[in-house]
Amino acid sequence: MSVPGQPAPAGATEVGAATPPTAGARGDDARVATRERLALLWRSKSFIAGSIIVGFWVLCAIFGELVVPEDPLASNPINDLLAPSADHWFGTDKLGRDVFSRVITGARDILIVAPLAAVLATVLGTALGLVTGYFRGAVDDVLSRIIEALLALPVIIMGLLVTVALGPSKTTLILTIGILFAPIISRTVRAAVLTERELEYVAAARLRNERTPYILFGEILPNVTGPIIVEFTVRLGYAIFVAAGLSFLGFGIQPPAPDWGLQVAESYGVISGGFWWPVLFPSLAIASLVIGVNLIADGVASAFER
């Protein structure tokens, strides 16, 4: 303890003086928070149920071709539009292809396109949100007006325009959905960054003369990962719908791929004749995958809100 009026010995601190938190302490807090969120997730019934549903379709996408009874691309006009039976669990379509085999293997296309599109949208949207949230004034005004203009256009209509211009393919589908969803994610990230940029740790980084990219990606980004993860899971569900919708309209994945949206498009015309099974089962597959992703999103949102 130092005598009043005299300097304290080297290495000593005044009684009652606040010691700034170290990087290690912040790291420990982050690890504790991560463990708590993981514990909340594994106690979330919606997250577990969604993981089971999505996990099933992921397994189908990876191993589907090894377990299906027939080649999903092989047509047999003699057996066209057979009703569900022991030989064909989900029946056959108008080309005699086994619907069960096509539904199981069709998970691969949607689980390649939708997650990659959601990742692209998250990366672009996060970068855009960091910039618009951190820089105020002209940068924020110009970029925000562009984002609002993009958000005013229906996603499906914009997707149709882009795919017509570039030609339908998986790559075009991924780029289209990713770019269209990026402005939506950027608004969520921007709102989080507007709060973070006013906190003391950002001011301290500025006083240390840290470079702007480090402040954005090294300081602010780790503190807004919660909203970003939630946005990713939510947009993944929307990406599945948009990918299936564009395929249904003929501007997504092309024949003869067993894509779910494409299967519905190829067979919806025979529903009026009482042949419901070629449309029902791929539609249920789309709905179940979206429900599974939304259940996961609900669990993740609950974990990060606490």
Side-chain angles (χ1 to χ4, degrees), residues 57-149:
W57 287 119
V58 170
L59 291 176
C60 290
I62 297 173
F63 303 108
E65 292 183 352
L66 301 177
V67 300
V68 292
E70 297 186 19
D71 183 353
L73 302 180
S75 60
N76 186 1
I78 298 176
N79 294 327
D80 64 313
L81 295 175
L82 294 179
S85 64
D87 294 329
H88 301 281
W89 293 354
F90 291 176
T92 62
D93 63 11
K94 60 184 180 181
L95 296 180
R97 296 172 296 190
D98 184 64
V99 175
F100 174 77
S101 300
R102 289 177 64 77
V103 168
I104 294 298
T105 56
R108 177 175 299 176
D109 290 327
I110 200 74
L111 285 175
I112 290 174
V113 171
L116 288 178
V119 169
L120 177 61
T122 302
V123 172
L124 295 177
T126 298
L128 192 58
L130 286 170
V131 171
T132 55
Y134 184 76
F135 297 102
R136 305 302 298 272
V139 174
D140 185 25
D141 290 339
V142 172
L143 291 178
S144 294
R145 298 297 84 75
I146 295 174
I147 290 171
E148 289 173 1

Side-chain angles (χ1 to χ4, degrees), residues 200-269:
E200 293 181 356
Y201 75 91
V202 176
R206 294 196 192 102
L207 291 174
R208 297 195 307 268
N209 291 323
E210 299 286 1
R211 294 179 179 272
T212 300
Y214 172 78
I215 296 176
L216 290 176
F217 296 98
E219 295 285 350
I220 296 178
L221 179 58
N223 291 286
V224 296
T225 53
I228 293 172
I229 292 173
V230 173
E231 273 293 320
F232 169 77
T233 54
V234 171
R235 295 306 146 198
L236 178 57
Y238 282 104
I240 294 169
F241 260 134
V242 173
L246 289 175
S247 294
F248 174 80
L249 295 173
F251 295 94
I253 298 170
Q254 297 299 297
D259 176 73
W260 293 338
L262 188 58
Q263 289 184 58
V264 175
E266 291 174 338
S267 300
Y268 80 95

Side-chain angles (χ1 to χ4, degrees), residues 157-196:
I157 300 300
M158 286 296 296
L160 289 174
L161 294 175
V162 174
T163 52
V164 167
L166 300 180
S169 68
K170 287 184 182 179
T171 302
T172 301
L173 205 55
I174 292 168
L175 292 175
T176 300
I177 298 173
I179 293 172
L180 291 178
F181 283 171
I184 302 174
I185 296 175
S186 71
R187 298 192 69 175
T188 301
V189 177
R190 176 182 177 273
V193 173
L194 286 175
T195 301
E196 294 292 326

